[in-house]
Amino acid sequence: MNNHRVRYPQQSFLYRLVAFFSRLQLSYLLRNSRHQRLLQLLFIFVAGATALGIISILAFMTNLPLLFPQLGPSAFILFYTPMSEQASPRNVLLSHLLAVGIGLLSLWLCAQLFPDVHLTDSPVLNWQREVVVASSMGLACLLMVVFRCVHPPAAASALIAALGYLESPAHVLGIAAAVVLLLLEALFFNRLVGGLPYPTWRFDPKVARNFGELAGIPANEITFWRQAAMKTFASRGS
Amino acid sequence: MSLFRKIRRHAAVARGDFGAMFRDVEIPPLPAAISRLLAEVNHPEPDIERLAKLISSSPGLAAKVIKTVNSALYGLRVPVDNVKRAVTLLGLEQVRTLALSFATMEALPTPETELFNHTTFWTDSLLRATMARSLAEKDYREQREQIFTVSLLADLAIPVLLDSWSDYYLPVFAEWQSAEGSLASIEREHFQWDHGQAGAWILQSWGFPDDLVCCLACHTLNRDEMEESGLGGSPVVPVAVASMIPSVVNAKLEDILSFCHAVQRWLGLERQDLVEILDDVRLSLTDVLDIFDLPDNSATYVVEMLSEVAEQSADPEVS
């Protein structure tokens, strides 16, 4: 036994450095701090503000149409319940693209059927526009459920497209680019800053069940043993 | 090893992020036949016919089931030679325990280090599991089989960590073998987590219920920590007490005394109760070890030591 060569990677300088920084990540702090609520609030504030701030700056610098109202609720879900199915990159990207597609398709179909009707003038509201809005909304909701890519803020994308606010292909590409940017920011904040196993594409329920509120599971739905099991993974350092 | 990979490994160990630690490691899955079997046992109305078929599909398990029912534990006059009859006689809880024990023994890796001995590991585990089940007889009768299962699996992370994270874990394991103190306390000093938590993560990934996951994770806590977690009167207690039994190859008097004290303080059992429990353990242990083809001499020796200490202190003249 004495001949056994004892090596301790955990005593190296690099380990200590990595340990110091990785123990500042949200997932570690949430497991081990008594100020969980405060930490979560701080994270959502910093991540939300920075994410939308970066997109705004890019829009300003490039003069590209990257700012859309639905990015707000999307960012909220991505940073408040990052481990939920609704926040997975698959759901966010597919739902927004699907919703924009449905909104534009409804608008185009209506324009073919009623060529003389104003469908994109914001002050004018006629029954044809109402049909376009209602059908886009209904179809977007239906298809999000059918394709299992539910992400509620995407419904606003359908509405924006159906109301004719996307006036050129640049606007459509702008929405897609903004959603991709937001997802890249979510990957950065949730994985690197948060230390969370945020999915790169599809949601994993087995992983998410350990994250309670971060996975969108209401506190009152967590059983005593689930809560105890989640707590058992807290640090046991002296 | 690239710097990036090294940083990732360091971060996973430092944070006790078992999801990341075991992501690239092949955690042995429960064999499909065993998973189906457990699902059938857990079914509100299990079909014995189907259960017997599932057991028969795993020849090793079928042999163990028949060997168990024919052991002295059951004292049958006519030996049983078919699985269905064996299942009926054993009961579902026993079948579940047996299936899990067998599957875990088959699935877990055997680390390539002289510091780990497969036979000793499983003998220790079975001794502690048998003891935990007997300790649970009084206050946790309904959960006896679950307590046996958790106690048996209590140290399952050790071979996995020695096999997959040996560069970090082997020195810690070596330190424990040559120093005083519990393995968990040394692990905590190094990593801020212990093998109970790592084992609980594996159990969780196998789809075990939360109460068992929690019991396994908390078996390394001391009494105060357990009370603080609200688990003072839970099935974790007999598991934690049984885990204090020293290894069959390294049984020291002070460890045996610590165990006896814990039985008294944690479970509120008198020394005389412990003497009776130890008699019960001695009777069933030989059969349990035989079922798993493990030698019983070292385990019996430890039980005898325990009995001796318990009897001496139970004797009013001695105490």
Side-chain angles (χ1 to χ4, degrees):
Chain A
M1 198 185 294
N2 292 335
N3 296 335
H4 185 79
R5 197 180 156 212
V6 181
R7 289 190 302 126
Y8 291 80
Q10 55 268 37
Q11 286 178 340
S12 68
F13 174 72
L14 182 65
Y15 178 88
R16 287 175 190 184
L17 194 71
V18 171
F20 175 77
F21 283 108
S22 62
R23 285 174 187 160
L24 292 175
Q25 289 181 306
L26 182 74
S27 63
Y28 184 85
L29 293 174
L30 283 180
R31 270 189 286 147
N32 299 299
S33 168
R34 275 183 290 174
H35 309 289
Q36 296 174 344
R37 189 82 186 145
L38 190 69
L39 285 165
Q40 209 179 349
L41 291 174
L42 193 69
F43 177 76
I44 194 169
F45 171 72
V46 173
T50 315
L52 266 294
I54 290 171
I55 296 176
S56 308
I57 291 168
L58 276 174
F60 174 74
M61 285 169 67
T62 58
N63 223 11
L64 288 170
L66 293 174
L67 276 176
F68 298 92
Q70 64 270 41
L71 293 181
S74 282
F76 180 77
I77 288 178
L78 283 169
F79 301 123
Y80 181 56
T81 55
M83 297 308 295
S84 68
E85 185 170 15
Q86 295 177 6
S88 70
R90 177 187 177 275
N91 280 39
V92 177
L93 189 66
L94 290 187
S95 62
H96 276 294
L97 294 181
L98 198 72
V100 168
I102 287 163
L104 290 175
L105 188 71
S106 304
L107 195 65
W108 180 80
L109 278 174
C110 202
Q112 301 303 307
L113 291 170
F114 310 102
D116 302 326
V117 176
H118 289 285
L119 289 171
T120 52
D121 285 354
S122 37
V124 182
L125 192 64
N126 46 44
W127 70 266
Q128 290 91 343
R129 282 193 89 184
E130 285 168 10
V131 167
V132 171
V133 167
S135 60
S136 323
M137 200 61 207
L139 268 175
C141 295
L142 180 84
L143 291 181
M144 276 199 281
V145 177
V146 168
F147 292 117
R148 295 176 193 278
C149 57
V150 174
H151 177 69
S157 290
L159 216 61
I160 281 169
L163 284 166
Y165 291 127
L166 304 179
E167 292 162 356
S168 66
H171 281 118
V172 179
L173 286 175
I175 282 198
V179 170
V180 171
L181 265 174
L182 190 62
L183 282 174
L184 290 175
E185 287 166 336
L187 276 168
F188 172 80
F189 275 105
N190 292 329
R191 283 190 157 242
L192 277 172
V193 181
L196 296 163
Y198 179 69
T200 45
W201 182 240
R202 198 182 277 273
F203 159 82
D204 184 350
K206 267 173 113 179
V207 175
R209 67 193 292 266
N210 284 326
F211 290 91
E213 266 191 276
L214 286 180
I217 305 165
N220 59 354
E221 280 181 23
I222 304 172
T223 61
F224 169 79
W225 283 113
R226 181 87 289 266
Q227 214 158 24
M230 278 157 57
K231 278 186 195 162
T232 56
F233 297 110
S235 166
R236 289 182 181 171
S238 46
Chain B
M1 192 191 299
S2 72
L3 183 67
F4 182 63
R5 187 170 140 76
K6 209 176 214 177
I7 289 172
R8 268 181 53 190
R9 282 171 65 85
H10 283 342
V13 173
R15 287 192 298 136
D17 184 350
F18 304 114
M21 279 177 72
F22 297 135
R23 189 183 300 137
D24 304 327
V25 171
E26 201 174 318
I27 291 289
L30 280 185
I34 303 291
S35 296
R36 282 201 295 273
L37 178 80
L38 292 176
E40 189 62 44
V41 171
N42 292 332
H43 197 271
E45 287 176 18
D47 180 351
I48 301 289
E49 194 82 43
R50 197 173 137 68
L51 209 56
K53 272 187 192 161
L54 284 167
I55 292 172
S56 303
S57 71
S58 168
L61 178 61
K64 293 267 183 288
V65 167
I66 290 178
K67 197 172 176 181
T68 307
V69 82
N70 287 326
S71 70
L73 282 172
Y74 289 84
L76 298 177
R77 284 184 195 159
V78 183
V80 171
D81 60 1
N82 78 78
V83 173
K84 192 180 165 190
R85 172 117 178 91
V87 170
T88 315
L89 286 166
L90 281 174
L92 295 175
E93 285 293 337
Q94 284 270 7
V95 169
R96 176 170 37 204
T97 305
L98 205 60
L100 272 172
S101 317
F102 177 69
T104 317
M105 276 191 189
E106 293 288 300
L108 285 186
T110 304
E112 288 174 10
T113 164
E114 75 271 19
L115 297 178
F116 182 87
N117 183 298
H118 185 262
T119 306
T120 305
F121 177 79
W122 286 112
T123 308
D124 286 343
S125 299
L126 280 166
L127 168 61
R128 287 168 190 151
T130 311
M131 179 66 78
R133 182 163 58 186
S134 295
L135 289 173
E137 184 76 40
K138 191 180 157 203
D139 291 330
Y140 308 93
R141 203 179 161 76
E142 293 288 301
Q143 295 115 314
R144 275 183 325 153
E145 287 306 318
Q146 283 102 313
I147 286 170
F148 179 90
T149 306
V150 174
S151 200
L152 182 77
L153 303 177
D155 294 333
L156 92 160
I158 295 174
V160 177
L161 288 165
L162 281 173
D163 193 55
S164 317
W165 288 82
S166 58
D167 44 345
Y168 294 81
Y169 196 71
L170 193 58
V172 175
F173 195 69
E175 188 182 322
W176 167 63
Q177 293 205 332
S178 59
E180 296 292 315
S182 70
L183 175 60
S185 61
I186 297 172
E187 289 167 337
R188 288 178 200 180
E189 264 174 44
H190 282 266
F191 308 124
Q192 303 198 357
W193 49 263
D194 61 47
H195 67 276
Q197 292 169 292
W201 191 91
I202 297 173
L203 219 60
Q204 187 172 265
S205 74
W206 281 349
F208 274 61
D210 290 328
D211 52 343
L212 297 195
V213 169
C214 204
C215 280
L216 198 144
C218 295
H219 85 277
T220 50
L221 297 181
N222 63 36
R223 199 180 176 208
D224 292 339
E225 290 167 330
M226 227 176 265
E227 293 288 346
E228 209 175 291
S229 312
L231 299 167
S234 74
V236 184
V237 181
V239 178
V241 172
S243 74
M244 293 170 80
I245 298 176
S247 170
V248 293
V249 291
N250 191 22
K252 291 180 196 149
L253 186 63
E254 57 261 38
D255 296 333
I256 286 176
L257 282 169
S258 300
F259 165 75
C260 293
H261 285 140
V263 170
Q264 229 170 350
R265 286 177 56 237
W266 294 33
L267 291 160
L269 296 171
E270 294 301 323
R271 289 291 168 106
Q272 194 52 48
D273 297 328
L274 180 60
V275 172
E276 285 165 22
I277 286 169
L278 286 164
D279 285 342
D280 182 40
V281 170
R282 196 185 299 120
L283 281 174
S284 50
L285 190 64
T286 311
D287 288 314
V288 171
L289 290 169
D290 181 48
I291 289 161
F292 291 98
D293 302 319
L294 291 165
D296 67 342
N297 42 358
S298 52
T300 313
Y301 173 69
V302 172
V303 176
E304 274 165 12
M305 269 178 86
L306 286 165
S307 300
E308 214 170 289
V309 171
E311 270 167 19
Q312 275 175 10
S313 43
D315 187 346
E317 282 178 25
V318 176
S319 57

